[in-house]
C-alpha cells in the first residue's frame, strides 16, 4: 500500500490543499491592441509601392518610350520589315501597359470592396498574383486608417497573455520532480493551474458575452460565401481576412458554436461550415465582407437581413453554454484523488519555438469532439488525433493484406480469392481514410530509433537503462524522457532537460540515428493523450504497482481500447503479451500473436501468479536486477518481453488485494497493470487516473490533465472490420473479388486519357502542365488512378504533403487537377466528387494497370475461360503491357504514400500469374520456347516469385537441353547466395536434374 501523508505538513499554504479553489480569481486586465510604429511603416511602404506602380510606371513609359504602337494602319511592307531593337522594345512596352492596366483594375476592385464594407471583391480575369498583391497593399494602406485602432482582445491574445503566467507554475512543478513531491505541494500546483484555467475561462466568457450583451449596433456578422470560382470558405480564412490572424478562428467558433443556422443545422466542428451560414464576428473584425446590423442592413437583401436578425437573437442563449464556464471548479480531479507519496509526471519546459509550429496537419486545425466520436470532414476524429496509434494500425493492416496476398499465391492460378482484397465501405472506409490521414509513421520511426539508439549507447558505456516513467513528444518533434530518478548525463546526442530527471533529444539529432540491432528498451510506452501541444506516452511497465482508471464505463472502454490497440501494433516494441480481461475479445484480430483474452479475474490471477514466479526465477538465474539490465545486453527479445495486463472489469476487494501483491514487484519484472474502477478507490493503486465524459484524462497527483486519446466503440468495430476482411485464413462464402475497375478492352473502348504506370510514368492525351506544379499534379493523378473507388480530399492532401497543408492549398490543387483533366465531350468533368465527398476519376481516364487487370480477368474468368484462342491472345496482350516496376524512375522524395499501399505486392503477383498462365497455354501445345519467353518476361517484374522459377525449370527441361538446364540451375544457386535454395526448389531440381549438385560444384 502506498503511504499516506497528512494535509498539514510543513510547507503547505492555506488553501493549497484543503480549499477547493484558489483564493484570488480576479481576472487580470486585458491589454488593448494599438497601432504600432510597424503598422505606420507598413502603410507608408504600401503607399509608396502603389504610387510607383500606379503612377510611376505609366509616367516612365510615357516619358522614356512614348507611343509604342504604329502611327498608321499596318501594311504589307510594314509587316516585312526587319525586326529591330526598337520594335522589340515597343512590343514589350505594350505588354507592360497591359499588365499595368490589369493591376490598376485589381487595385480599384480591392479598394472598392474594402471601403464599401459589403461583398466579396470581384475577380479580375487572369489576375491571380496581381490581385493578391493589390489586396495586400490595399490592406496595409488602410490598416492605420481603419477604426480598429483599439481592438478588443480576442481569445488568442488572451491565451498568449495567460500562457506566460502559466508556464512558471508548470516549470516550478517540474523543478521539484527529483526526489518526488509532497502531496500538498502537488495539490497547490494543481490549484494554481486550475485558478489560471478558471481565470482564462471567466475572461473568455466575458469577452464572448460582450458581443451578446452589447447593442445590435456594435454586432458584426459574416455570411459564409459559396465556392463560386474559388475554394471553399473556412473559419481560418475568415479569421485571416477579418481578424488579421487565422489562428483566431477559435474565437469565431466559440461565438457561434451550437447556434441554429438558417438551414436548421448547427456549427459543431470548427472545420465544418456551409455556404449561407451566418457567423457572428468579434468586435474588432474588419473588412469588406462584413455586415453591421442594423446600420448596414439596407446593403443586403431582405432575406439575408431577416436571417441575420433571427440569428442575432440566438446569441443570448449561448451565455450559459460557453466553453470555459464549465468544469472550472473541478480542482481535485475527482473523488479518487488522495494525498500520497507517488511519482510526479511533469510537462517538459517548452523549448524555443515549441508550440508555434503546426503539427502534422499543418494549418488544418480542427476542434476535436469531447468523446472522440465525431470527426472533421466526415472522418473519425479519434483516429485523426492519434498519430502513433494510426501509424501502428496502418502498418499492421498493410502486413495483414500482404500476408493474404502471398497466401493466395499458393492457390491455383486464375480466379483465386485474395488477388483483389475487398474494398472497404461505410464506416470501415472512413476509418481507413482516417488512418491514412492521421498516421505519423515518421514519428514512430524516429521514436523507435531514438530509444534503441539510447539503449545501444548505454550498453556501449556499460551503463544500465534508467527507469523511465513517461515520454513526451513535443509539437516540434523533440523527445523528452522523464526518469524515475537522476541517472547522470545521457550519452550524446541526448542532453539533459530542465533538470536531472529529464533527458531530451532534438528532432534534428533523432533524424541522424540509424537502425541498431538491440532490444527495444521501453516497449511498454503507450499514448494517453496530449497536453500543451505535447503527447504523453506513459510507461505502464515501469509503474511500481497498479494504475487505476476511474470514470463511466463507456469512457473507460475508449481508453482501454486505445491502449490495447496501440500496444498491439506499435512500432517501438519487439514482442509483448497483452492480456485483456473484461473487454477486447473482438480486438484480437488486430494482433493475434500479441493480444490474449481471458474470461474472468480468477483466470487472470492464476495466470499472473505463475508468470510472476517464472520471471523472478529467470531474473535470479540470469543475475539481473530487473528486465532493464537484461535489455542492455545482447538482444534477447523474447526473454525480457513485457506483459501488460488491461483489466476493464472492476475487481472485488479480495481480488484487488491479490493483484496489488502481484504488482508490488511488477515493474522489476516487466509486467504492468491498468485496472478499471467505477469508484476511483482501488486498494493498492500506485497511480490513479480518471476519464471524464468530456474526454479529459485527469491525474491530479501526477500533475496531469490531458486531452485523452480514445478509441470509441464505433471506431473499434470499423477498425476490426478492416482487419477481419483482410484475414488470409478467413473462410467464407464471399464471391471471388473482381478488379475494382474493369475497362472496355475492345477498339470502341479507347480512353480519352491513358496513363502508363507499370514502368516509367507517361500520360497520353493530356498536355504536360507547365511550371513546378507538374510533378505534384502527376503524383495526385497517380494516387487517383490507383484508387478507382475514390480518394478522400484529406487523404489526398496527407499523401502529397505528409508534413501538413492548409485547406486552401489542397483545394487549389484539386481545382488545377480538374482543369488539367478537363471534361468529356458530353461536358462531364473527368474529376468529380461522389456522394461521400471522395474524388473519383471518370471512366474515360484509364491506366495501363486497369487494362492489365481487365485483360487477365477476361482471360481467366470471362471470354477466355471458354475459348483457348481468346485466352492466349488476351494473356499475350497483357504481358506486353509490363514494362517494369510500378512508377519506375519516380522522383526521389515523392510517392511516399506508396509505403501504405499493397500495390507493390499485388503487381508482381499479377504479372507472375499472367506469365504462369501464358506458359501453361504454350506448354499445352509443346511450345517450350514460347513458354520460356513468357516466363522470362514475367521474371523481369517479379524476380523473387519462386513459382516462376519452378515453371522455368520445367519448361527448360521440356526442351531436352540438359546443358541449358544445368546453366539455369547454376544461375539459381548463385542468386540464392548464402541462404541456399528453398527446399521445394531443391526437390524439383532433384527430380528434373539429379546431378545438379555435382554440376554446380564443378562450375564453382
Amino acid at each position: 500500500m502506498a503511504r499516506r501523508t497528512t494535509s498539514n505538513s510543513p510547507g503547505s499554504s492555506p488553501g493549497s490543499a484543503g480549499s477547493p479553489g484558489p483564493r484570488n480569481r480576479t481576472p487580470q486586465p486585458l491589454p488593448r491592441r494599438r497601432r504600432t510604429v510597424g503598422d505606420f511603416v507598413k502603410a507608408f511602404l504600401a503607399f509608396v509601392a502603389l504610387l510607383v506602380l500606379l503612377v510611376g510606371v505609366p509616367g516612365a513609359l510615357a516619358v522614356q518610350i512614348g507611343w509604342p504602337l504604329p502611327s498608321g494602319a499596318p501594311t504589307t511592307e510594314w509587316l516585312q520589315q526587319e525586326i529591330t531593337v526598337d520594335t522589340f522594345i515597343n512590343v514589350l512596352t505594350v505588354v507592360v501597359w497591359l499588365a499595368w492596366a490589369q493591376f490598376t483594375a485589381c487595385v480599384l476592385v480591392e479598394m472598392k470592396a474594402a471601403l464599401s464594407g459589403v461583398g466579396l471583391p470581384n475577380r479580375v480575369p487572369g489576375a491571380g498574383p496581381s490581385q493578391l498583391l493589390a489586396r495586400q497593399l490595399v490592406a496595409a494602406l488602410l490598416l492605420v486608417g481603419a477604426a480598429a485602432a483599439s481592438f478588443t482582445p480576442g481569445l488568442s491574445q488572451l491565451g498568449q497573455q495567460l500562457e506566460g503566467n502559466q508556464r512558471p507554475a508548470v516549470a516550478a512543478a517540474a523543478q521539484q520532480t527529483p526526489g518526488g513531491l509532497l502531496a500538498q505541494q502537488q495539490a497547490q500546483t494543481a490549484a494554481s493551474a486550475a485558478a489560471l484555467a478558471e481565470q482564462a475561462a471567466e475572461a473568455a466568457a466575458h469577452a464572448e458575452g460582450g458581443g451578446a450583451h452589447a447593442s445590435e449596433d456594435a454586432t458584426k456578422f459574416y455570411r459564409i460565401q459559396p465556392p463560386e470560382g474559388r475554394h471553399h470558405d473556412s473559419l481560418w480564412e475568415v479569421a485571416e481576412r477579418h481578424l488579421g490572424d487565422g489562428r483566431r478562428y477559435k474565437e469565431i467558433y466559440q461565438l457561434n458554436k451550437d447556434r441554429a443556422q438558417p438551414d436548421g443545422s448547427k456549427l459543431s466542428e470548427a472545420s465544418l461550415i456551409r455556404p449561407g451560414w451566418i457567423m457572428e464576428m468579434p468586435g474588432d473584425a474588419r473588412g469588406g465582407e462584413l455586415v453591421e446590423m442594423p446600420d448596414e442592413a439596407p446593403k443586403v437583401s431582405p432575406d439575408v437581413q431577416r436571417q441575420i436578425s433571427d440569428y442575432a437573437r440566438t446569441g443570448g442563449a449561448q451565455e450559459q453554454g460557453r466553453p470555459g464556464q464549465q468544469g472550472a471548479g473541478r480542482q481535485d480531479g475527482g473523488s479518487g484523488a488522495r494525498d500520497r507519496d507517488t511519482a510526479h509526471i511533469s510537462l517538459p519546459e517548452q523549448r524555443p519555438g515549441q508550440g508555434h509550429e503546426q503539427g502534422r496537419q499543418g494549418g488544418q486545425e480542427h476542434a476535436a469532439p469531447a468523446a472522440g466520436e465525431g470527426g472533421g470532414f466526415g472522418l473519425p476524429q479519434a483516429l485523426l488525433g492519434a498519430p502513433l496509434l494510426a501509424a501502428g494500425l496502418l502498418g499492421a493492416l498493410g502486413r495483414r493484406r500482404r500476408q493474404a496476398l502471398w497466401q493466395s499465391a499458393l492457390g491455383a492460378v486464375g480466379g483465386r480469392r485474395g488477388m483483389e482484397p475487398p474494398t472497404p465501405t461505410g464506416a470501415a472506409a472512413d476509418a481507413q481514410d482516417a488512418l491514412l490521414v492521421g498516421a505519423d509513421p515518421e514519428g514512430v520511426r524516429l521514436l523507435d530509433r531514438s530509444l534503441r539508439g539510447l539503449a545501444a549507447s548505454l550498453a556501449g558505456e556499460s551503463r544500465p537503462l534508467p527507469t523511465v516513467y513517461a515520454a513526451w513528444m513535443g509539437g516540434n518533434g523533440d523527445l523528452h524522457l522523464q526518469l524515475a530518478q537522476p541517472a547522470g548525463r545521457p550519452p550524446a546526442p541526448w542532453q539533459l532537460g530542465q533538470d536531472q530527471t529529464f533527458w531530451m533529444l532534438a528532432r534534428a539529432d533523432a533524424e541522424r540515428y540509424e537502425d541498431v540491432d538491440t532490444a527495444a528498451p521501453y516497449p511498454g510506452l503507450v499514448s494517453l493523450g496530449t497536453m500543451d501541444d505535447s503527447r504523453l506516452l506513459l510507461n505502464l511497465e515501469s509503474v511500481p504497482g497498479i494504475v487505476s482508471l476511474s470514470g463511466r464505463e463507456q469512457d473507460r472502454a475508449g481508453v482501454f481500447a486505445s491502449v490495447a490497440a496501440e500496444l498491439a501494433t506499435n512500432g517501438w516494441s519487439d514482442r509483448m503479451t497483452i492480456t485483456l480481461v473484461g473487454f477486447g475479445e473482438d480486438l484480437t484480430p488486430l494482433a493475434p500473436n500479441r493480444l490474449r483474452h481471458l474470461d474472468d479475474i480468477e483466470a487472470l490471477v492464476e495466470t499472473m501468479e505463475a508468470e510472476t514466479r517464472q520471471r523472478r526465477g529467470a531474473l535470479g538465474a540470469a543475475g539481473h536486477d530487473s528486465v532493464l539490465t537484461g535489455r542492455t545486453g545482447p538482444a534477447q527479445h523474447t526473454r525480457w518481453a513485457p506483459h501488460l495486463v488491461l483489466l476493464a472489469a472492476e475487481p472485488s476487494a479480495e481480488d484487488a488485494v491479490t493483484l496489488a501483491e502481484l504488482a508490488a514487484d511488477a515493474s522489476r519484472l516487466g509486467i504492468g497493470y491498468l485496472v478499471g474502477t467505477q469508484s476511483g478507490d482501488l486498494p493498492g493503486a500506485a497511480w490513479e487516473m480518471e476519464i471524464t465524459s468530456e474526454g479529459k484524462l485527469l491525474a491530479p497527483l501526477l500533475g496531469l490533465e490531458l486531452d485523452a486519446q480514445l478509441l470509441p466503440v464505433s471506431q473499434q468495430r470499423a477498425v476490426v472490420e478492416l482487419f477481419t476482411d483482410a484475414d488470409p485464413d478467413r473462410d467464407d462464402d464471399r464471391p471471388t473479388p473482381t478488379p475494382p475497375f474493369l475497362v472496355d478492352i475492345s477498339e470502341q473502348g479507347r480512353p480519352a486519357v491513358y496513363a502508363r504506370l507499370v514502368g516509367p510514368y507517361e500520360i497520353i492525351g493530356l498536355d504536360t502542365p507547365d511550371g513546378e506544379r507538374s510533378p505534384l499534379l502527376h503524383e495526385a493523378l497517380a494516387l487517383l488512378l490507383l484508387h478507382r473507388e475514390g480518394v478522400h480530399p484529406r487523404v489526398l492532401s496527407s499523401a502529397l504533403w505528409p508534413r501538413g497543408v492548409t485547406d486552401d492549398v489542397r483545394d487549389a490543387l484539386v481545382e488545377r487537377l480538374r482543369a488539367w483533366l478537363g471534361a468529356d465531350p458530353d461536358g462531364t468533368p473527368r474529376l468529380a466528387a461522389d456522394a461521400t465527398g471522395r474524388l473519383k476519376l471518370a471512366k474515360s481516364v484509364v491506366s495501363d494497370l486497369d487494362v492489365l487487370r481487365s485483360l487477365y480477368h477476361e482471360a481467366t474468368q470471362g471470354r477466355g475461360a471458354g475459348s483457348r484462342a481468346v485466352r492466349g491472345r488476351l494473356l499475350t496482350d497483357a504481358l506486353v503491357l509490363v514494362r517494369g516496376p510500378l512508377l519506375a524512375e519516380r522522383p526521389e522524395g515523392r510517392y511516399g504514400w506508396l509505403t501504405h499501399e499493397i500495390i507493390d505486392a499485388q503487381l508482381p503477383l499479377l504479372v507472375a500469374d499472367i506469365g504462369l498462365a501464358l506458359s501453361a497455354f504454350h506448354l499445352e501445345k509443346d511450345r517450350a520456347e514460347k513458354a520460356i519467353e513468357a516466363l522470362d518476361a514475367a521474371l523481369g517484374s517479379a524476380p523473387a516469385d519462386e513459382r516462376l522459377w519452378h515453371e522455368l525449370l520445367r519448361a527448360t527441361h521440356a526442351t531436352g537441353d540438359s546443358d541449358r538446364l544445368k546453366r539455369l540451375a547454376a544461375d539459381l544457386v548463385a542468386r540464392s547466395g548464402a541462404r541456399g535454395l528453398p527446399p521445394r526448389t531443391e526437390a524439383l531440381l532433384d527430380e528434373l536434374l539429379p546431378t545438379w549438385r555435382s554440376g554446380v560444384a564443378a562450375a564453382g
Side-chain angles (χ1 to χ4, degrees):
M1 300 287 288
R3 295 176 295 173
R4 300 180 181 272
T5 58
T6 61
S7 59
N8 58 353
S9 59
S12 62
S13 59
S16 63
S19 62
R23 292 171 293 180
N24 182 13
R25 301 182 184 179
T26 303
Q28 297 182 4
L30 299 176
R32 299 181 66 84
R33 190 186 187 283
R34 303 182 183 280
R35 290 170 292 182
T36 64
V37 175
D39 293 336
F40 286 98
V41 171
K42 290 179 182 178
F44 176 76
L45 293 177
F47 174 79
V48 172
L50 286 172
L51 190 64
V52 170
L53 292 174
L54 296 180
V55 180
V57 170
L61 291 175
V63 173
Q64 298 296 327
I65 307 299
W67 182 253
L69 298 177
S71 56
T75 63
T76 305
E77 292 76 10
W78 179 79
L79 292 174
Q80 293 176 349
Q81 288 181 358
E82 182 181 356
I83 298 177
T84 63
V85 175
D86 290 339
T87 304
F88 177 77
I89 293 177
N90 288 336
V91 172
L92 184 61
T93 302
V94 172
V95 173
V96 175
W97 272 109
L98 292 175
W100 171 85
Q102 185 189 59
F103 179 75
T104 303
C106 293
V107 172
L108 294 176
V109 167
E110 294 294 332
M111 188 72 75
K112 176 181 178 297
L115 295 178
S116 64
V118 178
L120 286 169
N122 294 325
R123 294 175 60 89
V124 178
S130 297
Q131 190 161 4
L132 178 61
L133 175 61
R135 182 176 305 166
Q136 293 173 341
L137 292 176
V138 169
L141 180 62
L142 297 180
L143 177 64
V144 295
S150 56
F151 293 125
T152 301
L155 293 179
S156 62
Q157 295 163 317
L158 173 63
Q160 294 168 4
Q161 178 195 19
L162 293 178
E163 183 181 4
N165 296 333
Q166 189 174 1
R167 294 295 180 202
V170 178
Q175 295 293 340
Q176 295 171 352
T177 303
L181 289 177
L182 295 176
Q184 293 79 4
Q185 293 171 317
Q186 297 170 359
Q188 182 179 7
T189 303
S192 300
L196 287 169
E198 183 175 4
Q199 175 179 321
E202 292 173 355
H206 175 76
E208 293 167 2
H213 289 300
S215 66
E216 287 190 345
D217 293 341
T219 306
K220 299 177 182 178
F221 296 90
Y222 174 84
R223 193 165 185 262
I224 303 301
Q225 301 297 320
E228 296 180 354
R230 63 194 299 274
H231 54 267
H232 291 267
D233 223 337
S234 68
L235 291 187
W236 178 282
E237 293 175 292
V238 174
E240 189 120 70
R241 289 197 302 268
H242 302 295
L243 299 177
D245 187 353
R247 290 172 294 183
R248 293 183 63 188
Y249 79 96
K250 298 178 182 179
E251 302 176 47
I252 307 176
Y253 172 72
Q254 295 295 345
L255 280 172
N256 298 275
K257 182 177 181 291
D258 294 332
R259 294 170 65 177
Q261 292 292 334
D263 60 359
S265 55
K266 295 182 179 180
L267 175 67
S268 59
E269 292 293 328
S271 58
L272 296 178
I273 59 175
R274 301 176 184 172
W277 279 9
I278 308 292
M279 293 289 120
E280 182 179 341
M281 301 292 290
D284 60 326
R286 65 187 185 277
E289 302 166 1
L290 300 180
V291 176
E292 194 163 335
M293 292 290 288
D295 295 342
E296 295 182 351
K299 298 181 180 181
V300 296
S301 67
D303 289 340
V304 174
Q305 178 182 349
R306 176 180 52 78
Q307 290 175 2
I308 294 178
S309 299
D310 293 341
Y311 185 79
R313 286 194 289 270
T314 67
Q318 288 295 106
E319 289 301 311
Q320 297 177 354
R322 295 286 186 192
Q325 292 182 349
Q326 302 174 359
R330 192 179 189 89
Q331 307 292 340
D332 58 354
S335 59
R338 301 190 302 271
D339 295 336
R340 71 173 50 181
D341 281 338
T342 184
H344 188 78
I345 304 298
S346 301
L347 182 68
E349 288 179 345
Q350 299 284 359
R351 290 168 46 82
Q354 183 171 346
H356 297 284
E357 294 190 25
Q358 298 292 339
R360 184 177 180 273
Q361 294 305 319
Q364 301 179 29
E365 299 186 25
H366 307 291
E373 287 283 1
F377 293 91
L379 301 182
Q381 185 69 31
L383 297 174
L384 289 176
L388 304 185
L389 168 62
L393 289 171
L394 193 61
L397 181 60
R399 291 190 294 272
R400 178 70 54 84
R401 287 173 172 170
R402 284 178 171 82
Q403 181 185 4
L405 282 173
W406 285 111
Q407 284 196 212
S408 71
L410 302 178
V413 174
R416 52 186 169 79
R417 188 176 75 82
M419 174 57 72
E420 300 296 341
T423 300
T425 58
D430 290 341
Q432 178 173 272
D433 286 343
L435 292 178
L436 290 167
V437 174
D440 184 13
E442 180 66 12
V444 171
R445 185 183 67 86
L446 291 179
L447 175 63
D448 182 40
R449 286 186 172 182
S450 300
L451 296 177
R452 293 181 193 268
L454 174 63
S457 298
L458 290 172
E461 299 176 6
S462 299
R463 295 172 59 185
L465 282 169
T467 300
V468 170
Y469 277 153
W472 291 95
M473 296 186 69
N476 58 356
D478 292 352
L479 176 63
H480 301 256
L481 297 182
Q482 186 164 357
L483 314 183
Q485 56 188 6
R489 295 196 63 84
W494 290 77
Q495 306 171 19
L496 282 177
Q498 60 207 49
D499 57 41
Q500 294 289 326
T501 62
F502 275 96
W503 286 4
M504 190 274 293
L505 180 68
R507 181 186 179 97
D509 294 328
E511 290 174 344
R512 291 195 288 268
Y513 265 121
E514 300 290 341
D515 292 328
V516 293
D517 183 20
T518 189
Y522 304 112
L525 286 169
V526 64
S527 303
L528 292 184
T530 57
M531 178 180 180
D532 288 358
D533 197 33
S534 294
R535 182 170 301 276
L536 170 68
L537 288 85
L538 188 66
N539 190 5
L540 291 176
E541 186 189 24
S542 70
V543 178
I546 292 174
V547 178
S548 71
L549 177 66
S550 62
R552 297 187 308 171
E553 183 177 359
Q554 59 266 39
D555 298 324
R556 298 200 315 265
V559 176
F560 274 107
S562 172
V563 170
E566 185 169 299
L567 288 172
T569 61
N570 72 45
W572 55 89
S573 302
D574 296 318
R575 192 186 71 87
M576 64 169 61
T577 300
I578 305 142
T579 298
L580 312 179
V581 184
F583 82 106
E585 187 172 5
D586 294 337
L587 292 176
T588 51
L590 302 184
N593 295 329
R594 284 193 179 185
L595 290 170
R596 176 176 63 179
H597 183 267
L598 297 181
D599 295 331
D600 51 37
I601 299 178
E602 181 179 354
L604 173 66
V605 170
E606 181 180 353
T607 300
M608 298 315 299
E609 283 179 342
E611 181 157 350
T612 299
R613 288 193 300 269
Q614 186 272 334
R615 291 206 172 207
R616 283 173 179 164
L619 277 179
H624 296 308
D625 296 331
S626 71
V627 295
L628 291 180
T629 57
R631 286 176 187 159
T632 52
Q636 302 179 44
H637 302 275
T638 59
R639 190 171 186 178
W640 310 117
H643 186 169
L644 302 174
V645 176
L646 307 181
L647 174 57
E650 184 169 8
S652 64
E654 181 180 354
D655 290 333
V657 171
T658 302
L659 289 174
E661 292 173 351
L662 290 173
D665 199 26
S667 61
R668 187 175 69 90
L669 305 176
I671 302 175
Y673 293 85
L674 178 62
V675 180
T677 172
Q678 185 72 32
S679 62
D681 188 5
L682 186 69
W687 290 359
E688 295 177 342
M689 299 187 298
E690 177 189 3
I691 179 65
T692 71
S693 58
E694 293 80 20
K696 293 289 186 181
L697 191 65
L698 308 177
L701 297 183
L702 299 179
L704 295 180
E705 181 175 348
L706 306 171
D707 293 322
Q709 178 173 297
L710 306 173
L711 187 58
V713 175
S714 61
Q715 301 313 314
Q716 295 176 38
R717 293 171 181 163
V719 169
V720 170
E721 181 181 342
L722 290 172
F723 279 79
T724 54
D725 283 347
D727 188 355
D729 299 322
R730 179 175 179 176
D731 186 14
D732 54 21
D733 298 327
R734 290 178 300 174
T736 301
T738 59
F741 179 67
L742 292 174
V743 301
D744 183 359
I745 56 177
S746 67
E747 188 64 26
Q748 291 74 26
R750 185 178 298 275
V753 177
Y754 183 65
R756 306 179 73 183
L757 305 179
V758 185
Y761 191 1
E762 299 176 14
I763 297 179
I764 301 171
L766 290 177
D767 294 332
T768 302
D770 296 330
E772 298 179 353
R773 294 192 179 99
S774 177
L776 201 61
L777 291 172
H778 279 73
E779 185 175 357
L781 179 57
L783 178 61
L784 290 167
L785 285 167
L786 293 178
H787 290 276
R788 302 303 304 227
E789 73 278 9
V791 176
H792 196 287
R794 293 200 64 185
V795 174
L796 179 66
S797 62
S798 177
L800 299 181
W801 296 282
R803 296 181 70 90
V805 68
T806 55
D807 293 347
D808 59 335
V809 174
R810 178 199 64 208
D811 295 341
L813 172 75
V814 172
E815 290 303 320
R816 280 192 292 269
L817 184 60
R818 183 177 286 115
W820 179 41
L821 292 174
D824 288 332
D826 61 357
T828 303
R830 293 174 182 150
L831 177 63
D834 62 9
T836 65
R838 290 175 171 83
L839 300 170
K840 296 184 68 173
L841 292 171
K843 293 183 179 181
S844 59
V845 182
V846 173
S847 73
D848 55 354
L849 185 59
D850 298 326
V851 177
L852 189 68
R853 285 167 167 163
S854 300
L855 287 169
Y856 180 66
H857 176 78
E858 188 70 16
T860 56
Q861 300 179 46
R863 292 181 295 121
S867 172
R868 185 178 185 279
V870 171
R871 182 170 67 255
R873 178 173 55 81
L874 293 174
L875 291 174
T876 302
D877 291 345
L879 203 56
V880 170
L881 293 176
V882 180
R883 300 176 299 123
L886 184 75
L887 293 169
E889 304 174 7
R890 57 181 176 264
E892 187 174 351
R894 292 196 177 275
Y895 299 87
W897 46 270
L898 280 173
T899 59
H900 303 316
E901 306 282 344
I902 62 170
I903 185 61
D904 60 336
Q906 282 180 297
L907 181 58
L909 286 176
L910 176 60
V911 173
D913 280 356
I914 294 172
L916 292 170
L918 188 56
S919 172
F921 171 82
H922 288 303
L923 288 176
E924 288 176 1
K925 296 295 184 179
D926 296 328
R927 293 197 291 262
E929 292 297 338
K930 288 287 186 179
I932 292 173
E933 182 181 344
L935 293 169
D936 284 337
L939 281 168
S941 293
D945 198 305
E946 187 180 1
R947 299 171 301 156
L948 290 175
W949 289 106
H950 289 176
E951 291 304 309
L952 185 59
L953 287 170
R954 292 188 179 99
T956 305
H957 179 265
T959 63
D961 190 343
S962 58
D963 292 337
R964 186 176 181 181
L965 185 60
K966 289 179 182 179
R967 290 195 298 272
L968 179 58
D971 184 36
L972 271 173
V973 172
R975 288 173 178 270
S976 64
R979 294 175 301 174
L981 292 175
R984 287 181 296 185
T985 304
E986 287 189 352
L988 180 60
L989 280 172
D990 289 338
E991 173 66 22
L992 301 179
L993 187 66
T995 61
W996 72 274
R997 300 178 191 274
S998 59
V1000 169

